[in-house]
């Protein structure tokens, strides 16, 4: 029987059940997942937000296949006040380095946004009085290593905090009841999860 779970992955946690160094893992969420449940994709330890876990291998393959270009939206808090010029640059594609090789990112949907209503990060972002910050929404259909961070840095606005807001049509806001907090786990149905890849 296929089962589907979403989590709000906290900052500092690895997107895996296997212990690695001192980082907490998905096994530290205090939730008893079935033994055959694994994450679909990953979020870096220093990123937060929506992560899907399932034992549905067909769905995993469909979502992770680069040919399908499933959209994921991230909210990035960046250093400096992001400009329309920088957003246009990101929309068109920027050159980043992946494993020492140059990569031109695919066109992305990018907009400067007001600060979103998200839980405080633990630990909080280091506040620097003389350097303003702003937020940008970035939707991409590819998933290179640390891609969003590399993109904003290439546009001159280093990322300070990165939260994956949505996968496909499913977002953190879709959780039934209260808005999720980092570490929350909720189970959804096969019908619900279709929004990830439709």
């Amino acid at each position: 029987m296929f089962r589907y779970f979403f989590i709000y992955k906290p900052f500092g946690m690895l997107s895996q059940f296997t212990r690695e160094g001192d980082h907490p893992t998905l096994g530290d969420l205090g939730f008893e997942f079935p033994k055959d449940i694994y994450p679909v994709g990953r979020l870096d330890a220093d990123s937060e937000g929506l992560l899907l876990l399932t034992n549905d291998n067909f769905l995993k393959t469909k979502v992770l296949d680069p040919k399908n270009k499933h959209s994921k939206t991230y909210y990035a808090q960046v250093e400096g006040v992001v400009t329309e010029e920088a957003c246009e640059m990101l929309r068109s594609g920027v050159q980043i380095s992946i494993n020492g090789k140059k990569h031109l990112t695919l066109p992305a949907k990018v907009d400067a946004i007001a600060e979103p209503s998200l839980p405080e990060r633990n630990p909080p972002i280091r506040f620097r009085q003389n350097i303003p910050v702003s937020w940008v929404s970035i939707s991409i259909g590819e998933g290179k290593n640390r891609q969003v961070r590399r993109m904003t840095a290439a546009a001159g606005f280093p990322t300070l905090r990165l939260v994956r807001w949505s996968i496909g049509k499913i977002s953190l806001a879709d959780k039934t009841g209260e808005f999720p907090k980092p570490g929350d786990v909720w189970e959804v149905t096969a019908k619900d999860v279709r929004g990830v890849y439709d």
Side-chain angles (χ1 to χ4, degrees):
M1 179 178 163
F2 294 141
R3 296 180 70 183
Y4 308 89
F5 300 89
F6 282 109
I7 70 166
Y8 186 147
K9 189 193 86 64
F11 175 83
M13 179 174 281
L14 299 178
S15 299
Q16 60 194 48
F17 288 98
T18 308
R19 182 74 53 197
E20 200 173 293
D22 295 330
H23 285 289
T25 71
L26 301 176
D28 296 312
L29 287 170
F31 188 88
E32 203 63 44
F33 291 103
K35 295 248 181 276
D36 59 347
I37 293 290
Y38 292 98
V40 179
R42 62 191 295 276
L43 279 171
D44 295 317
D46 54 358
S47 300
E48 314 157 58
L50 194 64
L51 187 66
L52 169 64
L53 291 82
T54 185
N55 55 357
D56 183 343
N57 287 323
F58 175 76
L59 174 64
K60 277 190 214 173
T61 302
K62 190 165 186 173
V63 171
L64 294 177
D65 190 333
K67 290 190 305 238
N68 293 326
K69 295 183 175 62
H70 293 294
S71 176
K72 296 175 285 292
T73 297
Y74 297 83
Y75 290 163
Q77 183 188 42
V78 298
E79 195 173 274
V81 179
V82 73
T83 62
E84 179 57 27
E85 181 185 19
C87 289
E88 190 53 46
M89 187 176 166
L90 293 167
R91 290 179 194 123
S92 303
V94 291
Q95 192 160 275
I96 60 175
S97 178
I98 304 290
N99 298 325
K101 295 180 181 175
K102 291 179 178 176
H103 172 75
L104 182 65
T105 60
L106 295 175
K109 184 178 177 187
V110 181
D111 292 291
I113 59 171
E115 182 175 350
S117 295
L118 295 167
E120 286 294 317
R121 201 189 82 175
N122 183 23
I125 297 291
R126 187 163 62 95
F127 177 67
R128 295 164 73 185
Q129 192 166 1
N130 298 326
I131 301 179
V133 297
S134 56
W135 287 83
V136 62
S137 169
I138 301 180
S139 299
I140 57 174
E142 52 185 341
K144 302 294 183 186
N145 183 40
R146 300 180 73 80
Q147 179 169 337
V148 172
R149 292 179 187 278
R150 295 178 197 273
M151 287 172 68
T152 66
F157 294 88
T159 291
L160 301 173
R161 182 183 182 188
L162 187 63
V163 180
R164 183 192 281 162
W165 174 252
S166 67
I167 307 170
K169 297 174 186 172
I170 306 288
S171 79
L172 288 172
D174 290 325
K175 180 181 181 287
T176 305
E178 291 183 3
F179 187 85
K181 304 179 296 298
D184 279 359
V185 180
W186 61 103
E187 187 167 6
V188 296
T189 66
K191 183 179 177 184
D192 293 331
V193 91
R194 281 184 58 187
V196 167
Y197 57 86
D198 275 355

